[in-house]
């Protein structure tokens, strides 16, 4: 028998019991006649003690154990003389009477402890060792729980788990495809799915009614901080539904997940329109953990001879509660922060609301107290607050203010990792105009339907058409999105026309779907959630890499298995490359 208990299991009520434990040597401490070893497995750490007085030979042998040796020990559970309240097994230790080395280990390239000394690259190269650390294992355990909660919820709600193929043809999510050469069809390539979008819609035509799949998707995008070339989606589709049905079903799922994984009641999830979200937060994925909403200062700040404001399309402010404590130096740092190329503002105007209610701005020359009072009223500022103002083109200035709001929110401690706030954003524009190509692009994908009231505007004013689409954001990050689909052939044709697809192009790319729609496609809609992102948020980490067992690095490389790698000449020949 390798073990009677795990390394996380023994407590004071086991004192006096004979036990066998197996695990890894995390740490050895030698004190002359005494030797202590921390034995680790997935469940925890148990201290082993060896004493020269009662077994000299065994104590000597214990001193030969290196880090990460795999051992099996036998002994008695005894009370620890110096207790450790930081770990659940900290009140006991094992007085070892016998042990066996099950496997030796090379010295690991970094310490396998919660606070490791290893840098990211080396930990990715030895990911199997990094995964021995509880900090990382806990995240995979959380991911597994989340997975189960999702499956439980969807299975209970009557969804059917269907697998869709991985070797397919280009899908319509708008990223670059990963391709796989076909040996049997020389010169031809499969594409890996960017999502199972077309298949899940076909399953609705088939009458499956409610589909889900926890599925790998692949997008060949350039490096962006929180992206992986392969990632996992919770992909869902439903028939005979309207937007409200989808929102309530998946609000239920997310609330259930938070409840079962974290015992957190997310509460009812507010619904914002895209226009509202942009106006109030400058973002289509607002962080709703805190207020500090954008305030429009156009009426009260224009026309005072300050050309920066007078020439601006929009003047937008935020009110920082208690922000008057920021020093001049800190305010200058804010200015530098918004002027960085990533944000791109030309400058930042501020107005202090002093404790005595007096107002002092960085543009006193143009705005006296009476005028500043109008700003303060508009921002509902109180004594001790600080007003920060940006101006410029509306879209740009809102986005900049969103960044500043998040930055100041972070500094003010308003975005704690253990607080969660979700929202739905609906009524996105259906299409956006791309100046470069002179074409309209689908904001979501070409199967997303316009909201019924806007259909007639598709030809006359495409930019004003709202999509019957929705996103969910949690803590300022997009975690899911989807839409009610077009199931009507005429409407689909109008959409392809708008996007500049010729009949032939549409037929070639999506003919199979359009043909299927000739055979009685039901009204349907769906959504997909990013499982990695969702897990990262629940785990309180900024990087989705932390919640993926074997992630790729910034360059899309798996440095552990060293992929991608060149093909050898024979393989190339076989593939006709
Ligand atoms: N296929 C979409 C995506 O991956 C989600 C959906 O529309 O259901 O973003």
């Amino acid at each position: 028998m390798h073990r009677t208990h795990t390394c996380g299991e023994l407590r004071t009520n086991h004192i006096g019991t004979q036990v066998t434990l197996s695990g890894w040597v995390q740490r050895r401490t030698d004190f002359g006649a005494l030797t202590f070893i921390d034995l680790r497995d997935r469940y925890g750490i148990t201290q082993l003690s060896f004493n020269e007085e009662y077994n000299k030979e065994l104590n000597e042998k214990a001193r030969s154990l290196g880090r990460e040796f795999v051992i099996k020990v036998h002994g008695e559970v005894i009370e620890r003389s110096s207790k450790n309240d930081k770990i659940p097994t900290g009140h006991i230790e094992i007085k070892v009477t016998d042990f066996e080395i099950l496997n030796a280990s090379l010295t690991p390239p970094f310490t396998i402890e919660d606070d490791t000394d290893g840098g990211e690259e080396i930990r990715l190269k030895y990911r199997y060792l990094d995964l021995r650390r509880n900090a990382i294992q806990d995240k995979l355990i959380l991911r597994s729980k989340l997975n189960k909660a999702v499956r439980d919820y969807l299975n209970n709600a009557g969804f059917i788990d269907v697998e869709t193929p991985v070797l397919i043809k280009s899908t319509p999510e708008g990223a670059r495809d990963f391709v796989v050469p076909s040996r049997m069809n020389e010169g031809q390539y499969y594409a890996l799915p960017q999502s199972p979008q077309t298949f899940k819609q076909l399953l609705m035509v088939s009458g499956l009614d409610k589909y889900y799949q926890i599925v790998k998707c692949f997008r060949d995008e350039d490096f962006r901080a929180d992206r992986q070339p392969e990632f996992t989606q919770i992909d869902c589709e439903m028939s005979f539904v309207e937007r409200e049905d989808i929102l309530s079903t998946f609000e239920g799922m997310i609330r259930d997940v938070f409840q079962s994984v974290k015992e957190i009641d997310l509460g009812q999830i507010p619904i914002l329109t895209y226009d509202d979200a942009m106006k109030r937060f400058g973002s289509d994925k607002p962080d709703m953990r805190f207020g500090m909403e954008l305030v429009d200062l156009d009426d009260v700040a224009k026309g005072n001879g300050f050309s920066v404001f007078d020439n601006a399309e929009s003047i937008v402010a935020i009110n920082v509660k208690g922000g008057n404590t920021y020093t001049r130096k800190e305010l200058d740092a804010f200015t530098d922060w918004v002027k960085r190329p990533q944000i791109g503002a030309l400058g930042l105007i501020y107005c202090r609301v002093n404790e005595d209610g007096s107002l002092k701005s960085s543009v006193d020359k143009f705005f006296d107290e009476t005028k500043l009072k109008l700003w303060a009223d508009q921002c509902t500022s109180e004594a001790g607050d600080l007003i920060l103002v940006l101006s410029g083109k509306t879209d740009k200035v809102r986005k900049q203010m969103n960044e500043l709001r998040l930055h100041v929110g972070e500094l003010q401690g308003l975005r704690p990792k253990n607080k969660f706030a979700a929202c739905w954003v609906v009524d996105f524009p259906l299409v956006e105009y791309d100046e470069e190509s002179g074409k309209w692009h689908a904001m979501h994908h070409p199967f997303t339907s316009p909201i019924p009231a806007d259909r007639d505007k598709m030809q006359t004013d495409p930019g004003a058409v709202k999509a019957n689409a929705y996103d969910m954001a949690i803590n300022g990050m997009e975690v899911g999105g989807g839409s009610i689909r077009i199931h009507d052939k005429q409407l689909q044709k109008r959409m392809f026309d708008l996007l500049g697809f010729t009949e032939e192009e549409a037929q070639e790319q999506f003919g199979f779907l359009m043909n299927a729609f000739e055979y009685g496609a039901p009204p349907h809609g769906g959504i997909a959630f990013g499982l990695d992102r969702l897990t990262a948020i629940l785990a309180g980490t900024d990087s989705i890499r932390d919640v993926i067992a074997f992630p790729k690095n910034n360059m899309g490389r798996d440095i552990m298995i060293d992929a991608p790698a060149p093909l050898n000449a024979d393989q190339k020949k076989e593939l006709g490359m």
Side-chain angles (χ1 to χ4, degrees):
M1 191 181 12
H2 279 303
R3 59 185 175 196
T4 54
H5 297 81
T6 70
C7 297
E9 205 176 339
L10 298 168
R11 302 285 186 273
T12 45
N13 60 325
H14 293 98
I15 287 171
T17 336
Q18 294 292 321
V19 296
T20 306
L21 300 184
S22 290
W24 286 264
V25 173
Q26 168 148 325
R27 184 186 276 229
R28 195 189 74 221
T29 326
D30 302 336
F31 291 113
L34 284 174
T35 307
F36 293 103
I37 282 174
D38 280 349
L39 191 68
R40 180 193 69 236
D41 66 10
R42 187 186 118 192
Y43 308 94
I45 287 175
T46 299
Q47 176 164 293
L48 312 176
S49 70
F50 300 83
N51 191 336
E52 196 180 271
E53 253 172 54
Y54 58 77
N55 196 332
K56 190 165 166 91
E57 205 184 316
L58 205 64
N59 192 39
E60 292 292 309
K61 195 174 148 200
R63 289 185 178 199
S64 70
L65 293 173
R67 281 196 283 140
E68 301 310 313
F69 275 46
V70 187
I71 60 171
K72 172 168 127 183
V73 305
H74 186 74
E76 186 189 331
V77 183
I78 60 170
E79 187 170 0
R80 245 165 105 157
S81 49
S82 67
K83 304 202 170 29
N84 177 355
D85 285 320
K86 290 201 193 103
I87 56 171
T89 60
H91 285 209
I92 56 100
E93 66 187 20
I94 312 298
K95 179 176 162 188
V96 179
T97 48
D98 194 14
F99 80 87
E100 191 186 324
I101 297 177
L102 300 177
N103 214 339
S105 169
L106 295 174
T107 306
F110 50 86
T111 56
I112 301 178
E113 296 183 11
D114 285 358
D115 290 316
T116 176
D117 56 1
E120 169 131 56
E121 281 292 295
I122 190 96
R123 286 191 291 116
L124 280 178
K125 184 160 160 63
Y126 295 91
R127 184 65 170 172
Y128 46 89
L129 294 181
D130 201 24
L131 287 175
R132 280 189 193 161
R133 293 167 56 228
N134 290 326
I136 307 279
Q137 280 192 5
D138 287 349
K139 297 195 175 73
L140 293 187
I141 294 167
L142 181 100
R143 184 180 176 118
S144 170
K145 277 193 195 161
L146 196 158
N147 225 298
K148 179 176 185 301
V150 166
R151 288 184 189 281
D152 285 349
Y153 180 88
L154 293 174
N155 289 337
N156 283 335
F159 282 78
I160 300 173
D161 179 357
V162 184
E163 290 171 78
T164 53
V166 173
L167 295 175
I168 60 166
K169 209 166 119 170
S170 193
T171 34
E173 306 294 346
R176 219 175 275 115
D177 289 320
F178 279 102
V179 294
V180 179
S182 164
R183 180 183 55 81
M184 288 193 286
N185 304 274
E186 214 184 285
Q188 299 196 335
Y189 298 81
Y190 299 102
L192 300 183
Q194 293 179 32
S195 80
Q197 185 63 32
T198 45
F199 290 98
K200 66 174 173 176
Q201 292 194 240
L202 289 171
L203 289 172
M204 296 302 105
V205 178
S206 307
L208 268 284
D209 200 64
K210 290 176 179 174
Y211 142 93
Y212 85 97
Q213 184 180 193
I214 297 186
V215 60
K216 272 286 167 73
C217 300
F218 307 85
R219 295 184 193 176
D220 188 4
E221 289 175 301
D222 290 336
F223 166 69
R224 269 203 263 159
D226 203 23
R227 290 279 165 119
Q228 285 278 307
E230 55 176 300
F231 59 96
T232 308
Q233 281 194 350
I234 305 162
D235 194 49
C236 308
E237 196 78 9
M238 301 169 84
S239 289
F240 303 111
V241 286
E242 283 165 4
R243 183 173 84 191
E244 284 56 44
D245 303 305
I246 303 259
L247 298 196
S248 72
T249 302
F250 292 97
E251 166 161 348
M253 184 185 88
I254 292 297
R255 289 183 64 173
D256 231 56
V257 164
F258 271 79
Q259 192 57 255
S260 48
V261 176
K262 281 253 157 180
E263 288 173 30
I264 285 173
D265 180 6
L266 257 193
Q268 214 175 355
I269 301 180
I271 303 174
L272 280 72
T273 65
Y274 172 84
D275 288 345
D276 246 12
M278 295 311 288
K279 205 167 162 24
R280 289 172 54 194
F281 300 96
S283 166
D284 58 2
K285 39 181 186 292
D287 187 341
M288 307 281 284
R289 278 174 294 185
F290 65 110
M292 213 192 282
E293 294 188 16
L294 277 52
V295 181
D296 194 337
L297 288 191
D298 286 358
D299 330 339
V300 293
K302 275 193 181 169
N304 290 286
F306 182 45
S307 65
V308 175
F309 281 179
D310 292 348
N311 299 333
E313 196 180 350
S314 283
I315 305 165
V316 179
I318 50 173
N319 182 63
V320 185
K321 273 267 140 279
N324 192 27
T325 50
Y326 285 114
T327 61
R328 176 62 202 260
K329 218 169 136 201
E330 286 168 319
L331 293 179
D332 287 345
F334 283 151
T335 307
D336 292 340
W337 194 88
V338 296
K339 279 174 146 179
R340 294 172 318 143
Q342 297 95 307
I343 310 294
L346 292 174
L348 178 69
I349 307 286
Y350 65 83
C351 174
R352 292 180 176 282
V353 187
N354 295 319
E355 291 306 331
D356 62 5
S358 65
L359 299 157
K360 174 100 189 85
S361 85
S362 53
V363 278
D364 275 351
K365 218 174 114 195
F366 302 96
F367 298 91
D368 59 22
E369 285 246 13
T370 350
K371 286 179 179 148
L372 293 176
K373 178 82 175 49
L374 298 175
W375 297 16
D377 286 347
Q378 194 96 320
C379 296
T380 49
S381 309
E382 294 171 33
D385 291 355
L386 171 76
I387 302 170
L388 297 175
V389 190
L390 291 172
S391 61
K393 277 231 169 270
T394 308
D395 287 354
K396 226 170 152 186
V397 82
R398 282 181 181 169
K399 280 190 188 129
Q400 291 164 347
M401 201 45 123
N402 163 54
E403 299 290 344
L404 183 62
R405 171 181 176 266
L406 295 177
H407 179 61
V408 178
E410 190 73 50
L411 294 176
Q412 300 267 80
L414 299 171
R415 305 175 67 199
K417 288 206 157 58
N418 57 2
K419 184 174 172 188
F420 302 93
C423 67
W424 288 108
V425 178
V426 302
D427 291 350
F428 282 83
L430 183 69
V431 289
E432 56 189 345
Y433 192 69
D434 180 48
E435 302 278 348
E436 229 170 84
S437 61
K439 278 186 174 177
W440 293 97
H441 285 281
M443 276 270 273
H444 192 49
H445 50 57
F447 309 124
T448 293
S449 64
I451 63 168
D454 283 358
R455 271 187 204 181
D456 293 339
K457 281 189 268 178
M458 277 174 80
Q459 266 81 15
T460 51
D461 189 6
V465 179
K466 301 288 184 214
N468 208 346
Y470 29 78
D471 273 4
M472 184 187 277
I474 301 180
N475 293 1
M477 269 167 289
E478 184 192 327
V479 294
S483 60
I484 297 297
R485 324 298 182 191
I486 299 172
H487 67 280
D488 168 82
K489 208 183 149 226
Q490 283 313 315
L491 187 58
Q492 186 66 66
K493 191 177 168 306
R494 272 162 71 191
M495 183 66 178
F496 282 139
D497 283 349
L498 173 57
L499 299 176
F501 281 83
T502 64
E503 187 100 36
E504 294 73 48
E505 282 167 340
Q507 195 59 37
E508 195 200 300
Q509 266 197 55
F510 305 117
F512 61 98
L513 187 68
M514 282 155 64
N515 293 343
F517 278 13
E518 306 262 16
Y519 294 93
H524 61 288
I527 192 163
F529 289 89
L531 180 73
D532 312 289
R533 189 78 59 85
L534 205 52
T535 313
I537 292 173
L538 278 156
T541 169
D542 291 327
S543 167
I544 63 169
R545 248 178 274 170
D546 289 353
V547 299
I548 296 174
F550 298 104
K552 309 262 186 293
N553 76 358
N554 294 352
M555 291 303 295
R557 294 197 72 81
D558 183 323
I559 54 177
M560 181 184 68
I561 60 171
D562 199 17
L567 295 179
N568 66 36
D570 286 348
Q571 281 173 309
K572 276 193 187 159
K573 200 169 149 216
E574 218 170 38
L575 292 167
M577 295 175 83

